[in-house]
Amino acid sequence: MKLLSRSEYEEQTASTRDERMGWWREARYGMFIHYGLYTHTGRHEWVQTQENIPVDEYKRLAAGFAYKPGSAKKWAELAKAAGMKYMVLTSRHHEGFSLWDSKANPYNSTNYGTKVDVVAEFVEACREYGLKIGFYTSLMDWQHPDSWMAAVESGARARFNQYILDINTELLTQYGKIDVLWFDVSSPMEHWEGWNSVEINQKLRAIQPHIIINNRCKLDEDFGTPEERIAAEDRDWEACMTFNGLSWGYVDSEQAAKYSYNAQGIIRMLQRCTAGGGNLLLNVGPKPDGSIPEEVVAPLTEVGKWLEVNGRAAYGKTVKVARRTYGGNGICSTSVIGNSVYLWNWIWPFGGSMGIGGYKDAPKAVRYVHNGAPVDFEHKGQRIILKNLPEKCPGPEAGITVIEMEFEKLPQYCFASYYPQLNGGREITAERI
Ligand code: GLC
């Protein structure tokens, strides 16, 4: 195959990006699965380095590899019920243990413990539930003899680059159509040249031309990956979030529950991602036997039920809400899809009415999203006042009602000033003291 230079390669991937990213840009919400040998320690996926465990000692964990066949189906079932549209599995985390039948890496799940090709089960389960399929693939490998030497020794680097190409080639050839390749932690090399990323990614794309690749291989690629923070970027982006702010890998359920998200917390993250035009990849760390920790099931299911009736405010091609545009009012936040501004009501207002400032044009209709019922409103100056609201939050799920304000075309908007007297476009013209 004729290899392109970096700029040619990036031009080419940019030219196919809109087409490749179509589904992803509307999907909004996916499930990250962190599962591996670290799971079996219940102490964070970095346990091997954080506790300085020698490789030989750590590798003994493999004998107890406990994945129970059929678990991946449960993951996908929950993801579907949660309203998620895709899944990303840690096919091989930094520890180097592959979760598939790998020739390049015999340290894999088909050779130890319950001996299962977890990746094969995962792929089948995603297909069964209509979810897009992503593979997380670490660029580190703590058990590979060349991995850390690769930064300083050219022979080790050549072998390690080849290994990275080989394992990812296996992943992209053995399991049919794969939608996302999610690289992680490009250490020890510092530059894309060291990783040979342009060549490796070209070869991988040649196998799956429609694939979407993230930016953790020292190339910008298709999307950014803010981690543990929701921060809109000037490009496609996906915020990946742990469920408890502590660990991606499994930690004791009973103790983790106190730190974990509830449905409201997840819906708030979804709103922030939607408003910023990004996706939310929410992590679940299954237990050693592959079962899903109790503390994630109820919130995810509740969010799924909420999305069933309110999904219109979250899925689809969003209009990215720039800072100071299309705001809410403190007790509600917004997302914008098409010509509609959606108000996600965190707190239901007292007194039967609520105003939203800054909207210079009147909506043509205002309605509840969960049942389509109209909401009375009035447009005054640049305020939209919603009227005759029920006393209690009318939304059936999670206590969060969404109201859609549909406009002829997106309205002119005026950001609230510090002084309500100045709203409406009047400015202080004299010099301030
Ligand atoms: C990281 C961590 C890791 C986790 C990942 C998820 O950078 O090394 O353990 O898998 O990000 O985004």
Side-chain angles (χ1 to χ4, degrees):
M1 113 183 234
K2 182 187 170 287
L3 288 173
L4 305 175
S5 68
R6 177 181 180 177
S7 59
E8 289 167 336
Y9 169 71
E10 292 191 330
E11 238 172 73
Q12 195 194 58
T13 50
S15 72
T16 58
R17 183 159 296 132
D18 285 345
E19 195 193 327
R20 287 182 296 106
M21 301 283 285
W23 71 265
W24 190 95
R25 288 175 178 159
E26 304 203 351
R28 188 71 53 227
Y29 188 28
M31 181 183 277
F32 214 170
I33 293 274
H34 273 69
Y35 179 80
L37 292 183
Y38 48 85
T39 300
H40 297 68
T41 71
R43 298 204 301 276
H44 199 278
E45 75 283 354
W46 276 68
V47 62
Q48 187 175 355
T49 57
Q50 276 168 348
E51 298 188 16
N52 260 278
I53 305 173
V55 174
D56 288 345
E57 184 185 328
Y58 188 85
K59 278 183 141 182
R60 279 183 229 134
L61 284 171
F65 180 70
Y67 177 88
K68 199 166 149 228
S71 302
K73 194 172 163 165
K74 296 270 164 41
W75 306 343
E77 193 179 27
L78 179 64
K80 183 78 184 177
M84 292 159 162
K85 304 291 186 190
Y86 62 106
M87 295 185 78
V88 178
L89 167 69
T90 52
S91 65
R92 186 183 119 280
H93 205 263
H94 313 328
E95 64 185 5
F97 188 72
S98 291
L99 295 181
W100 74 96
D101 187 6
S102 170
K103 304 285 165 293
N105 181 21
Y107 183 47
N108 77 59
S109 62
T110 65
N111 291 329
Y112 295 89
T114 51
K115 299 191 176 171
V116 187
D117 187 327
V118 182
V119 167
E121 283 205 356
F122 168 75
V123 166
E124 202 188 312
C126 287
R127 294 206 176 112
E128 187 180 335
Y129 287 92
L131 301 161
K132 297 280 185 188
I133 305 167
F135 291 150
Y136 163 109
T137 176
S138 179
L139 286 166
M140 293 205 283
D141 195 305
W142 294 332
Q143 53 92 36
H144 194 288
D146 290 317
S147 60
W148 60 276
M149 282 297 289
V152 290
E153 207 258 288
S154 60
R157 179 153 65 252
R159 287 190 298 272
F160 193 60
N161 284 342
Q162 187 62 47
Y163 170 74
I164 292 293
L165 176 61
D166 289 346
I167 52 171
N168 288 300
T169 301
E170 286 183 352
L171 282 171
L172 298 191
T173 45
Q174 291 176 197
Y175 302 96
K177 186 171 181 236
I178 302 304
D179 304 292
V180 177
L181 190 64
W182 212 104
F183 284 117
D184 194 21
V185 187
S186 49
S187 173
M189 270 81 77
E190 308 236 326
H191 303 285
W192 61 271
E193 289 100 326
W195 286 103
N196 218 3
S197 295
V198 170
E199 182 180 333
I200 288 184
N201 292 9
Q202 262 176 83
K203 289 182 170 166
L204 296 175
R205 283 188 189 276
I207 309 170
Q208 305 257 357
H210 56 276
I211 206 154
I212 294 169
I213 299 181
N214 73 346
N215 67 341
R216 294 194 179 177
C217 52
K218 297 286 184 203
L219 294 175
D220 290 342
E221 288 292 2
D222 293 319
F223 66 96
T225 52
E227 179 172 323
E228 288 291 58
R229 67 199 163 86
I230 294 173
E233 298 186 355
D234 285 334
R235 57 173 310 195
D236 291 296
W237 60 276
E238 170 191 75
C240 51
M241 305 293 291
T242 59
F243 210 87
N244 49 34
L246 295 169
S247 172
W248 299 87
Y250 170 71
V251 287
D252 179 66
S253 272
E254 216 178 296
Q255 299 176 70
K258 298 192 277 286
Y259 303 98
S260 296
Y261 285 111
N262 57 18
Q264 288 71 17
I266 297 168
I267 295 170
R268 288 207 72 182
M269 289 195 284
L270 270 173
Q271 180 271 327
R272 292 173 64 203
C273 288
T274 311
N279 284 0
L280 173 64
L281 185 65
L282 183 56
N283 184 68
V284 170
K287 294 180 178 184
D289 66 1
S291 60
I292 297 167
E294 295 78 44
E295 75 275 12
V296 312
V297 178
L300 285 184
T301 312
E302 194 176 351
V303 172
K305 288 199 183 122
W306 186 88
L307 278 167
E308 248 170 55
V309 287
N310 292 299
R312 223 139 62 81
Y315 304 120
K317 207 164 175 204
T318 54
V319 177
K320 189 166 165 175
V321 181
R323 247 185 103 223
R324 307 195 158 207
T325 323
Y326 304 138
N329 65 2
I331 57 170
C332 70
S333 309
T334 59
S335 63
V336 183
I337 296 176
N339 286 334
S340 290
V341 176
Y342 293 90
L343 306 172
W344 305 45
N345 282 268
W346 311 124
I347 303 289
W348 193 250
F350 298 124
S353 79
M354 172 175 94
I356 307 123
Y359 292 79
K360 290 186 168 184
D361 301 316
K364 68 174 189 194
V366 180
R367 60 180 79 89
Y368 294 109
V369 171
H370 68 275
N371 62 8
V375 176
D376 294 343
F377 70 95
E378 190 182 340
H379 185 244
K380 263 193 191 169
Q382 53 187 4
R383 293 161 78 201
I384 296 169
I385 303 167
L386 309 184
K387 302 192 306 187
N388 304 323
L389 300 172
E391 211 157 290
K392 283 228 163 92
C393 167
E397 309 292 343
I400 299 169
T401 296
V402 182
I403 293 174
E404 177 181 3
M405 306 194 293
E406 190 188 353
F407 294 87
E408 202 61 63
K409 62 179 183 9
L410 283 178
Q412 298 179 72
Y413 182 81
C414 165
F415 184 71
S417 82
Y418 287 128
Y419 286 87
Q421 299 94 317
L422 294 176
N423 287 345
R426 273 194 287 157
E427 280 168 31
I428 302 176
T429 44
E431 203 173 315
R432 298 192 201 191
I433 300 160

